[in-house]
Amino acid sequence: MSEFYDALETRAPALREAAQFAALPEQVARAAGRTPAFAAILAGVDGASITSRAALARLPVTRKSELLERQKTLRGRDAFGGFSAIGWTGQPAATGARRVFQSPGPIYEPEGAGSDYWRMARAIFAAGFRAGDLIHNSFSYHLTPAGSMMETGAHALGCTVFPGGVGNTELQLQAVSELRPQGYIGTPSFLKIMVEKTAETGADLSSITKALVSGEAFPPSLRHWLAEHGIAGYQCYATADLGLIAYETAAREGLVIDEGVIVEIVRPGTGDPVPDGEVGELVVTTLNPDYPLIRFGTGDLSAVLAGSCPTGRTAPRIKGWMGRADQTTKVRGMFVHPSQVADVVRRHPEITRARLVVEGEMANDRMTLHIECDTPPEGLAARVAESVRDVTKLRADIVPVAAGSLPNDGKVIEDRRSYH
């Protein structure tokens, strides 16, 4: 597939980087000036100075847990915890919100009035949809934003949408048989259920030849299974806070990062970017003026892929979802966080990377900190053990290992205990 949604997708990487970081200072200033939460988080920051990745990396990471806590603190006064520049009568920002959604937590997210507010049209186009297509949208239309995210993107592309929503499988199958949509948007598991149900109901799904799926893992086995049933399935990665982050193309080589966000991969528990190719937490800065999230930690693990997409799209690519970054665990009644492991590493510049392994039975567990170090100086293990006790209040064995020997899977804490 050699077509592109717009010219932004094929611009030179240096031009994209320059354009995004030319827009970033205003976005940082807007966040600090129009949202109370970022006014506090970015206090003392000169937005005009945030013109490079190095400058951006010096700003604090705001994680979803912090957003939730701020929302809880301000319940009844500010639905968005001070993070939104739009709202309605009675909110700090009294205008601009077209819809408000509720995700588990609960966390509330605003939807602004702009066309394709969540920037989903680009992913829908990459999945093969074109103007005039009828799309069967089986994402939820109540509480959470997924249904609206996809519908507004489809409308921006010029598509017609059947709002199937969740459940009512037989009625949805009847609608597919009678309306003959060109494609499906929804979770991959519900599409599989619909295909399987055709044998029982006699429904005709043959008109559906393409699909954009999200919200769940989309393993190659399921992609191949759908292809055997005549459906070319593509996936995208989006969140209720940020909208589209990355999307799959016909090349099937990772996910291309959306044009409206700046993505960093950081070491879990920190805000420190890792080298390209290393697995870490995906941190996103959105250029959306209504909900200007700056260095928002998704809590998801991924890694940057080398090179450009074979389709000709030049934006960076990520490997896709590779697990959760929050590996917090409890050892002998004490919580141990990835940020604590990072704190230990910072105290010892000789360490390049570390991995805390927890083993044994509950109530009789033990911790071993594996540390990568080129040439461990004498006494390093004892000093690191002391740091672990100081930071976590727990004891750990220290095992120096060769540089580059720890797995590149983003894990800072590995829990090997048996819970059976």
PDB file of all heavy atoms in Angstrom, residues 81-102:
ATOM      1  N   GLY A  81      -8.811  17.297  37.335  1.00  0.00           N
ATOM      2  CA  GLY A  81      -7.679  17.431  38.245  1.00  0.00           C
ATOM      3  C   GLY A  81      -6.707  18.540  37.883  1.00  0.00           C
ATOM      4  O   GLY A  81      -5.544  18.491  38.272  1.00  0.00           O
ATOM      5  N   GLY A  82      -7.180  19.508  37.106  1.00  0.00           N
ATOM      6  CA  GLY A  82      -6.309  20.619  36.735  1.00  0.00           C
ATOM      7  C   GLY A  82      -5.483  20.398  35.489  1.00  0.00           C
ATOM      8  O   GLY A  82      -4.622  21.214  35.169  1.00  0.00           O
ATOM      9  N   PHE A  83      -5.756  19.321  34.745  1.00  0.00           N
ATOM     10  CA  PHE A  83      -4.943  19.019  33.563  1.00  0.00           C
ATOM     11  C   PHE A  83      -5.564  19.507  32.253  1.00  0.00           C
ATOM     12  O   PHE A  83      -4.888  19.525  31.231  1.00  0.00           O
ATOM     13  CB  PHE A  83      -4.699  17.512  33.459  1.00  0.00           C
ATOM     14  CG  PHE A  83      -3.685  16.986  34.429  1.00  0.00           C
ATOM     15  CD1 PHE A  83      -4.076  16.457  35.646  1.00  0.00           C
ATOM     16  CD2 PHE A  83      -2.329  17.040  34.141  1.00  0.00           C
ATOM     17  CE1 PHE A  83      -3.141  15.979  36.553  1.00  0.00           C
ATOM     18  CE2 PHE A  83      -1.383  16.575  35.036  1.00  0.00           C
ATOM     19  CZ  PHE A  83      -1.795  16.035  36.250  1.00  0.00           C
ATOM     20  N   SER A  84      -6.841  19.869  32.258  1.00  0.00           N
ATOM     21  CA  SER A  84      -7.517  20.211  31.011  1.00  0.00           C
ATOM     22  C   SER A  84      -7.647  21.715  30.828  1.00  0.00           C
ATOM     23  O   SER A  84      -7.908  22.455  31.783  1.00  0.00           O
ATOM     24  CB  SER A  84      -8.913  19.586  30.978  1.00  0.00           C
ATOM     25  OG  SER A  84      -9.597  19.952  29.796  1.00  0.00           O
ATOM     26  N   ALA A  85      -7.490  22.166  29.575  1.00  0.00           N
ATOM     27  CA  ALA A  85      -7.681  23.572  29.239  1.00  0.00           C
ATOM     28  C   ALA A  85      -9.083  23.833  28.710  1.00  0.00           C
ATOM     29  O   ALA A  85      -9.405  24.957  28.316  1.00  0.00           O
ATOM     30  CB  ALA A  85      -6.647  24.008  28.195  1.00  0.00           C
ATOM     31  N   ILE A  86      -9.937  22.782  28.671  1.00  0.00           N
ATOM     32  CA  ILE A  86     -11.331  22.944  28.243  1.00  0.00           C
ATOM     33  C   ILE A  86     -12.243  22.332  29.300  1.00  0.00           C
ATOM     34  O   ILE A  86     -11.808  21.545  30.134  1.00  0.00           O
ATOM     35  CB  ILE A  86     -11.593  22.289  26.869  1.00  0.00           C
ATOM     36  CG1 ILE A  86     -11.232  20.787  26.892  1.00  0.00           C
ATOM     37  CG2 ILE A  86     -10.812  23.005  25.772  1.00  0.00           C
ATOM     38  CD1 ILE A  86     -11.602  20.045  25.617  1.00  0.00           C
ATOM     39  N   GLY A  87     -13.523  22.710  29.256  1.00  0.00           N
ATOM     40  CA  GLY A  87     -14.475  22.182  30.224  1.00  0.00           C
ATOM     41  C   GLY A  87     -15.873  22.640  29.900  1.00  0.00           C
ATOM     42  O   GLY A  87     -16.238  22.781  28.739  1.00  0.00           O
ATOM     43  N   TRP A  88     -16.681  22.939  30.948  1.00  0.00           N
ATOM     44  CA  TRP A  88     -18.059  23.380  30.777  1.00  0.00           C
ATOM     45  C   TRP A  88     -18.424  24.240  31.989  1.00  0.00           C
ATOM     46  O   TRP A  88     -17.614  24.382  32.923  1.00  0.00           O
ATOM     47  CB  TRP A  88     -19.004  22.189  30.626  1.00  0.00           C
ATOM     48  CG  TRP A  88     -18.951  21.240  31.803  1.00  0.00           C
ATOM     49  CD1 TRP A  88     -19.703  21.309  32.949  1.00  0.00           C
ATOM     50  CD2 TRP A  88     -18.094  20.108  31.953  1.00  0.00           C
ATOM     51  NE1 TRP A  88     -19.353  20.285  33.799  1.00  0.00           N
ATOM     52  CE2 TRP A  88     -18.384  19.522  33.214  1.00  0.00           C
ATOM     53  CE3 TRP A  88     -17.117  19.522  31.139  1.00  0.00           C
ATOM     54  CZ2 TRP A  88     -17.710  18.397  33.680  1.00  0.00           C
ATOM     55  CZ3 TRP A  88     -16.452  18.391  31.598  1.00  0.00           C
ATOM     56  CH2 TRP A  88     -16.760  17.840  32.855  1.00  0.00           C
ATOM     57  N   THR A  89     -19.613  24.783  31.995  1.00  0.00           N
ATOM     58  CA  THR A  89     -20.051  25.651  33.083  1.00  0.00           C
ATOM     59  C   THR A  89     -19.876  24.961  34.430  1.00  0.00           C
ATOM     60  O   THR A  89     -20.316  23.830  34.622  1.00  0.00           O
ATOM     61  CB  THR A  89     -21.528  26.040  32.902  1.00  0.00           C
ATOM     62  OG1 THR A  89     -21.684  26.692  31.646  1.00  0.00           O
ATOM     63  CG2 THR A  89     -21.994  26.964  34.017  1.00  0.00           C
ATOM     64  N   GLY A  90     -19.202  25.649  35.343  1.00  0.00           N
ATOM     65  CA  GLY A  90     -18.954  25.076  36.662  1.00  0.00           C
ATOM     66  C   GLY A  90     -17.572  24.493  36.815  1.00  0.00           C
ATOM     67  O   GLY A  90     -17.129  24.218  37.937  1.00  0.00           O
ATOM     68  N   GLN A  91     -16.876  24.309  35.704  1.00  0.00           N
ATOM     69  CA  GLN A  91     -15.498  23.826  35.733  1.00  0.00           C
ATOM     70  C   GLN A  91     -14.545  25.025  35.620  1.00  0.00           C
ATOM     71  O   GLN A  91     -14.934  26.091  35.130  1.00  0.00           O
ATOM     72  CB  GLN A  91     -15.245  22.860  34.571  1.00  0.00           C
ATOM     73  CG  GLN A  91     -16.013  21.544  34.685  1.00  0.00           C
ATOM     74  CD  GLN A  91     -15.514  20.690  35.830  1.00  0.00           C
ATOM     75  OE1 GLN A  91     -14.356  20.288  35.872  1.00  0.00           O
ATOM     76  NE2 GLN A  91     -16.409  20.411  36.769  1.00  0.00           N
ATOM     77  N   PRO A  92     -13.273  24.866  36.051  1.00  0.00           N
ATOM     78  CA  PRO A  92     -12.311  25.980  35.941  1.00  0.00           C
ATOM     79  C   PRO A  92     -12.211  26.522  34.519  1.00  0.00           C
ATOM     80  O   PRO A  92     -12.167  27.741  34.322  1.00  0.00           O
ATOM     81  CB  PRO A  92     -10.999  25.341  36.408  1.00  0.00           C
ATOM     82  CG  PRO A  92     -11.423  24.260  37.348  1.00  0.00           C
ATOM     83  CD  PRO A  92     -12.692  23.718  36.773  1.00  0.00           C
ATOM     84  N   ALA A  93     -12.148  25.621  33.533  1.00  0.00           N
ATOM     85  CA  ALA A  93     -12.249  26.037  32.133  1.00  0.00           C
ATOM     86  C   ALA A  93     -13.703  25.855  31.739  1.00  0.00           C
ATOM     87  O   ALA A  93     -14.198  24.721  31.682  1.00  0.00           O
ATOM     88  CB  ALA A  93     -11.332  25.200  31.254  1.00  0.00           C
ATOM     89  N   ALA A  94     -14.427  26.931  31.502  1.00  0.00           N
ATOM     90  CA  ALA A  94     -15.883  26.875  31.422  1.00  0.00           C
ATOM     91  C   ALA A  94     -16.435  26.549  30.041  1.00  0.00           C
ATOM     92  O   ALA A  94     -17.649  26.435  29.872  1.00  0.00           O
ATOM     93  CB  ALA A  94     -16.471  28.198  31.898  1.00  0.00           C
ATOM     94  N   THR A  95     -15.584  26.408  29.038  1.00  0.00           N
ATOM     95  CA  THR A  95     -16.069  26.130  27.689  1.00  0.00           C
ATOM     96  C   THR A  95     -15.118  25.169  26.977  1.00  0.00           C
ATOM     97  O   THR A  95     -14.007  24.910  27.433  1.00  0.00           O
ATOM     98  CB  THR A  95     -16.156  27.418  26.852  1.00  0.00           C
ATOM     99  OG1 THR A  95     -14.837  27.997  26.761  1.00  0.00           O
ATOM    100  CG2 THR A  95     -17.111  28.424  27.460  1.00  0.00           C
ATOM    101  N   GLY A  96     -15.586  24.679  25.824  1.00  0.00           N
ATOM    102  CA  GLY A  96     -14.707  23.954  24.908  1.00  0.00           C
ATOM    103  C   GLY A  96     -14.874  22.457  24.855  1.00  0.00           C
ATOM    104  O   GLY A  96     -14.504  21.833  23.865  1.00  0.00           O
ATOM    105  N   ALA A  97     -15.406  21.826  25.917  1.00  0.00           N
ATOM    106  CA  ALA A  97     -15.529  20.368  25.910  1.00  0.00           C
ATOM    107  C   ALA A  97     -16.796  19.950  25.185  1.00  0.00           C
ATOM    108  O   ALA A  97     -17.886  20.457  25.483  1.00  0.00           O
ATOM    109  CB  ALA A  97     -15.528  19.827  27.334  1.00  0.00           C
ATOM    110  N   ARG A  98     -16.654  19.046  24.237  1.00  0.00           N
ATOM    111  CA  ARG A  98     -17.824  18.529  23.531  1.00  0.00           C
ATOM    112  C   ARG A  98     -18.393  17.312  24.249  1.00  0.00           C
ATOM    113  O   ARG A  98     -19.594  17.124  24.343  1.00  0.00           O
ATOM    114  CB  ARG A  98     -17.453  18.159  22.090  1.00  0.00           C
ATOM    115  CG  ARG A  98     -18.619  17.646  21.275  1.00  0.00           C
ATOM    116  CD  ARG A  98     -18.266  17.495  19.811  1.00  0.00           C
ATOM    117  NE  ARG A  98     -17.169  16.564  19.581  1.00  0.00           N
ATOM    118  CZ  ARG A  98     -16.688  16.262  18.374  1.00  0.00           C
ATOM    119  NH1 ARG A  98     -17.194  16.876  17.310  1.00  0.00           N
ATOM    120  NH2 ARG A  98     -15.701  15.423  18.238  1.00  0.00           N
ATOM    121  N   ARG A  99     -17.505  16.471  24.760  1.00  0.00           N
ATOM    122  CA  ARG A  99     -17.909  15.304  25.537  1.00  0.00           C
ATOM    123  C   ARG A  99     -16.931  15.116  26.684  1.00  0.00           C
ATOM    124  O   ARG A  99     -15.798  15.613  26.643  1.00  0.00           O
ATOM    125  CB  ARG A  99     -17.913  14.025  24.683  1.00  0.00           C
ATOM    126  CG  ARG A  99     -18.911  14.004  23.541  1.00  0.00           C
ATOM    127  CD  ARG A  99     -18.918  12.613  22.874  1.00  0.00           C
ATOM    128  NE  ARG A  99     -19.829  12.548  21.750  1.00  0.00           N
ATOM    129  CZ  ARG A  99     -19.490  12.721  20.476  1.00  0.00           C
ATOM    130  NH1 ARG A  99     -18.215  12.985  20.179  1.00  0.00           N
ATOM    131  NH2 ARG A  99     -20.370  12.648  19.515  1.00  0.00           N
ATOM    132  N   VAL A 100     -17.352  14.372  27.692  1.00  0.00           N
ATOM    133  CA  VAL A 100     -16.454  13.961  28.766  1.00  0.00           C
ATOM    134  C   VAL A 100     -16.656  12.465  28.969  1.00  0.00           C
ATOM    135  O   VAL A 100     -17.792  11.972  28.923  1.00  0.00           O
ATOM    136  CB  VAL A 100     -16.710  14.750  30.074  1.00  0.00           C
ATOM    137  CG1 VAL A 100     -18.159  14.617  30.533  1.00  0.00           C
ATOM    138  CG2 VAL A 100     -15.777  14.299  31.173  1.00  0.00           C
ATOM    139  N   PHE A 101     -15.566  11.741  29.149  1.00  0.00           N
ATOM    140  CA  PHE A 101     -15.620  10.292  29.290  1.00  0.00           C
ATOM    141  C   PHE A 101     -15.066   9.855  30.636  1.00  0.00           C
ATOM    142  O   PHE A 101     -14.328  10.592  31.301  1.00  0.00           O
ATOM    143  CB  PHE A 101     -14.831   9.623  28.160  1.00  0.00           C
ATOM    144  CG  PHE A 101     -15.424   9.854  26.798  1.00  0.00           C
ATOM    145  CD1 PHE A 101     -14.905  10.826  25.961  1.00  0.00           C
ATOM    146  CD2 PHE A 101     -16.505   9.105  26.359  1.00  0.00           C
ATOM    147  CE1 PHE A 101     -15.455  11.053  24.700  1.00  0.00           C
ATOM    148  CE2 PHE A 101     -17.060   9.323  25.105  1.00  0.00           C
ATOM    149  CZ  PHE A 101     -16.527  10.297  24.275  1.00  0.00           C
ATOM    150  N   GLN A 102     -15.419   8.631  31.006  1.00  0.00           N
ATOM    151  CA  GLN A 102     -14.944   8.058  32.259  1.00  0.00           C
ATOM    152  C   GLN A 102     -14.279   6.720  31.995  1.00  0.00           C
ATOM    153  O   GLN A 102     -14.893   5.799  31.463  1.00  0.00           O
ATOM    154  CB  GLN A 102     -16.116   7.851  33.226  1.00  0.00           C
ATOM    155  CG  GLN A 102     -15.697   7.321  34.596  1.00  0.00           C
ATOM    156  CD  GLN A 102     -16.886   6.804  35.388  1.00  0.00           C
ATOM    157  OE1 GLN A 102     -17.352   5.696  35.139  1.00  0.00           O
ATOM    158  NE2 GLN A 102     -17.384   7.599  36.320  1.00  0.00           N
TER     159      GLN A 102
END
